[in-house]
Amino acid sequence: MASVTQGPGSNRFTQRERAWLRVYIGAAPGVGKTYQMLHDAHLLREEGVDVVIGFIETYGRADTDAQVGNLEVLPRRQVLYRDVTFEEMDVDAILRRKPQVCLVDDLAHNNVPGSRNHRRYQDILDLLDAGVNVMTAVNILHLETLNDAVARSAGTKVSETVPDAFLKRADEVINVDVSVEELRARLRQGRIYPPEKIEQALSNFFRKGNLSTLRELALRTVAEEVGSKAARYREHEGLEKSPIPERVMVCVSPREGTERLLRTGARISGRLASDFYAVVVESPYLERGRISPEDDARLTESLKLAEDLGARVVRLKSNKVADALIDFAKREGITHVVFGQSARTRWQILMHGSVLNRFLDEVRNATVQVIPLGKKEHGKHQAAGGR
């Protein structure tokens, strides 16, 4: 098990300026994230810390059920939706109870319509803003920047994701790790899923190759968080920085596939512990009345995703997209650039020019990564995505 910082002590909760957040990450269900979180909660309780369970999902696993023990469990809120009653975490009840530490499981959960917030991570942010320290758990495949990578490598696509900016808010990130063979053994023993689901799980999600990929992603993500937090600590303490600060720029446009560029840029930024910019050049084509509703909605969604991933959104106004991007990259000292490129004929490039080619000619000190956006051609999309 790998941790970013030292574990909490009882004095931590009276000396901090802001609420403390710990995130337990695992490669897959069954590695023991919730179990470890409950174990640590008991240790805190023994130290005299006021700990409650805001929401725990044990999925009927006997070991986890037993680990709840005598911890105080707050009642869940009943939410009626389409004539069905669902149970959600009762944020208001937790705020009234005002514990020192609250355990909140299943971080990536989407709340039922009618709840206080749409997403559970937003509930946690409300608790933190109110001064309640939180311990929470999530599987690595639910991190937003890894969504594409997991889908490609592991063949698994999830709809419930957590912005990486939330992970950066964490004071501690702990990887709960077990070997692939140990995890598959737990599955065969019926400690993860009921007997009727075991064989199907072994042949699909719990394949050795899939679990190895997810385990590597979990280990790498926690290591990157360690590096990022170490860099921020050096900056805060006035210690020596890297002689050449790394800065990542993603070129954003209304085209389909832009979310792939943003996730790639966020992963690069995470590895380098660097500044991360999402840049869109607002050329005349993007003005209201000229841009199509579909493209406008897609661009708005991309910029919202950029913010969720921790990027600084930059809007540049210019009739010349390439010039605006080149000037920004030189002015800000950009070291890594992510472009999207769609299939174009040589004639189209001769007639309209190529933002990417211009950029490569003018900016020599940056590493440029080009990601294909598919064959669909949007002829007028000369925004920051380049062509």
Side-chain angles (χ1 to χ4, degrees):
M1 186 166 62
S3 172
V4 169
T5 61
Q6 295 295 318
S10 58
N11 63 344
R12 164 173 301 214
F13 308 106
T14 57
Q15 296 178 356
R16 295 185 61 86
E17 294 181 358
R18 68 169 191 171
W20 157 85
L21 172 64
R22 173 186 280 185
V23 179
Y24 295 80
I25 284 182
V31 298
K33 302 179 301 298
T34 303
Y35 185 95
Q36 184 65 48
M37 183 166 60
L38 289 165
H39 171 78
D40 292 348
H42 281 287
L43 295 180
L44 289 174
R45 191 169 182 270
E46 290 173 3
E47 295 179 16
V49 177
D50 180 20
V51 183
V52 303
I53 294 176
F55 192 98
I56 285 290
E57 190 60 75
T58 66
Y59 296 102
R61 295 167 188 159
D63 292 346
T64 309
D65 278 327
Q67 190 69 358
V68 172
N70 59 359
L71 292 173
E72 180 182 350
V73 181
L74 297 183
R76 300 180 181 183
R77 181 170 177 261
Q78 308 295 310
V79 181
L80 183 65
Y81 179 65
R82 293 183 177 177
D83 299 324
V84 179
T85 300
F86 296 87
E87 290 189 336
E88 297 287 4
M89 183 171 70
D90 194 335
V91 180
D92 292 326
I94 297 170
L95 294 175
R96 288 193 298 270
R97 171 64 174 74
K98 190 71 174 180
Q100 286 178 289
V101 178
C102 182
L103 275 63
V104 182
D105 205 5
D106 201 5
L107 169 61
H109 174 73
N110 287 343
N111 294 330
V112 174
S115 301
R116 178 189 180 103
N117 294 302
H118 176 54
R119 310 283 291 280
R120 182 161 292 162
Y121 81 83
Q122 295 169 327
D123 291 338
I124 292 176
L125 291 175
D126 284 350
L127 296 179
L128 294 170
D129 287 344
V132 177
N133 304 285
V134 176
M135 298 161 68
T136 187
V138 68
N139 287 321
I140 192 65
L141 71 164
H142 291 288
L143 284 186
E144 179 63 50
T145 56
L146 298 178
N147 202 254
D148 291 337
V150 170
R152 287 196 307 271
S153 302
T156 303
K157 187 75 173 178
V158 297
S159 58
E160 295 182 321
T161 58
V162 177
D164 286 49
F166 181 90
L167 195 64
K168 295 183 187 302
R169 165 63 178 83
D171 299 275
E172 299 178 349
V173 180
I174 294 178
N175 181 43
V176 182
D177 183 43
V178 298
S179 70
V180 170
E181 288 303 328
E182 169 63 19
L183 188 56
R184 284 167 59 86
R186 291 181 184 182
L187 179 62
R188 292 191 189 95
Q189 295 163 5
R191 295 167 60 188
I192 301 177
Y193 293 149
E196 64 272 15
K197 293 185 177 181
I198 292 175
E199 288 305 318
Q200 181 182 6
L202 284 169
S203 302
N204 292 283
F205 185 84
F206 281 78
R207 299 188 318 274
K208 288 184 179 180
N210 189 27
L211 293 178
S212 294
T213 297
L214 294 172
R215 188 180 181 215
E216 179 183 350
L217 286 172
L219 292 167
R220 186 186 304 165
T221 298
V222 172
E224 289 171 358
E225 280 300 308
V226 171
S228 178
K229 285 177 169 55
R232 291 198 292 271
Y233 173 80
R234 288 196 302 271
E235 181 178 0
H236 181 267
E237 296 297 320
L239 302 176
E240 184 178 353
K241 297 182 181 180
S242 173
I244 304 178
E246 304 284 357
R247 292 186 173 92
V248 178
M249 177 176 82
V250 175
C251 305
V252 179
S253 80
R255 288 184 300 183
E256 294 179 5
T258 299
E259 66 277 4
R260 290 180 56 204
L261 312 185
L262 289 166
R263 292 185 181 118
T264 299
R267 287 196 296 271
I268 295 171
S269 175
R271 287 196 296 270
L272 300 174
S274 64
D275 293 333
F276 174 27
Y277 301 92
V279 181
V280 57
V281 179
E282 296 180 336
S283 62
Y285 166 70
L286 297 186
E287 293 175 356
R288 295 288 180 182
R290 298 191 63 182
I291 186 172
S292 70
E294 179 186 18
D295 286 350
D296 189 34
R298 189 181 295 119
L299 180 60
T300 299
E301 191 66 26
S302 293
L303 295 178
K304 172 63 169 61
L305 174 61
E307 292 177 343
D308 287 345
L309 296 177
R312 186 183 307 172
V313 173
V314 177
R315 298 174 182 267
L316 305 174
K317 288 190 177 293
S318 176
N319 294 336
K320 298 180 179 180
V321 175
D323 289 348
L325 291 175
I326 291 166
D327 290 345
F328 179 82
K330 290 180 176 179
R331 183 173 68 251
E332 297 297 328
I334 298 297
T335 57
H336 296 261
V337 185
V338 180
F339 273 101
Q341 188 165 23
S342 56
R344 300 176 71 208
T345 66
R346 185 180 299 273
W347 176 250
Q348 287 172 321
I349 293 175
L350 288 173
M351 288 294 293
H352 302 289
S354 167
V355 171
L356 174 58
N357 289 347
R358 278 283 319 282
F359 192 92
L360 291 172
D361 287 340
E362 297 282 344
V363 183
R364 301 297 180 87
N365 296 324
T367 300
V368 177
Q369 182 166 348
V370 181
I371 298 177
L373 294 181
K375 297 181 179 180
K376 185 174 180 180
E377 177 64 29
H378 296 271
K380 296 182 180 179
H381 284 183
Q382 190 136 352
R387 284 190 301 181

